[in-house]
Amino acid sequence: MLQNELPFGSWRETDLDIFAKIAKGQLMFPSHFSEDIIDLLKKLLQVDENVRLGCQGADMIKKHPWFKDVDWKRVLECSIPVPEEILTRIDSAFELHYADEHQMSVVGSSAGLEELNTQEWLDGW
């Protein structure tokens, strides 16, 4: 999610290539990733579940240095604003989806659309 790529490879690779990297534990991290995020990801992706970060509860993960600035109480209360970067990505995704929808051709009659656009039908939603 941080890089829009898979941790063990690229979406451009075959499933078999990615599986081989997973089996060998060959992680790839972009050069701009901080030491904290690399450490967090390596610990979350440990093959041995007995040493994997979080194996003794979520507090292990929450206490990792990468989350040092997270106010977990505010997260629980849902009182933290959504980061602008996430909102921008969501907007972009909706714009792409909306553009794709409008490029598709409509098959069939649109005569029934007026019936669906009535208050009685919308009340059920």
Side-chain angles (χ1 to χ4, degrees):
M1 288 174 31
L2 294 170
Q3 182 61 25
N4 295 328
E5 287 284 346
L6 302 169
F8 292 98
S10 169
W11 58 270
R12 297 169 203 84
E13 297 178 72
T14 68
D15 290 345
L16 189 58
D17 290 337
I18 294 172
F19 180 75
K21 289 179 180 180
I22 292 170
K24 294 176 186 175
Q26 294 177 334
L27 293 164
M28 298 181 312
F29 298 106
S31 59
H32 66 275
F33 272 20
S34 70
E35 288 182 32
D36 284 340
I37 191 57
I38 291 172
D39 182 64
L40 174 66
L41 293 172
K42 283 182 177 180
K43 289 177 177 176
L44 287 172
L45 295 171
Q46 278 290 322
V47 175
D48 183 351
E49 62 189 44
N50 296 312
V51 296
R52 188 179 303 142
L53 186 64
C55 69
Q56 297 175 1
D59 283 338
M60 289 177 70
I61 298 170
K62 290 163 52 175
K63 290 178 183 175
H64 188 277
W66 194 70
F67 292 111
K68 69 182 176 288
D69 295 328
V70 175
D71 182 342
W72 292 106
K73 183 179 178 198
R74 289 187 65 202
V75 169
L76 183 63
E77 296 168 349
C78 299
S79 62
I80 294 179
V82 177
E84 189 62 35
E85 179 182 357
I86 293 174
L87 293 174
T88 302
R89 287 184 182 194
I90 291 170
D91 287 344
S92 295
F94 277 125
E95 287 172 9
L96 287 173
H97 179 73
Y98 183 76
D100 286 347
E101 276 185 355
H102 284 63
Q103 290 177 0
M104 295 171 60
S105 60
V106 177
V107 177
S109 171
S110 61
L113 292 178
E114 287 300 318
E115 295 174 15
L116 296 177
N117 213 8
T118 63
Q119 188 61 40
E120 296 81 30
W121 187 86
L122 294 172
D123 285 341
W125 288 88

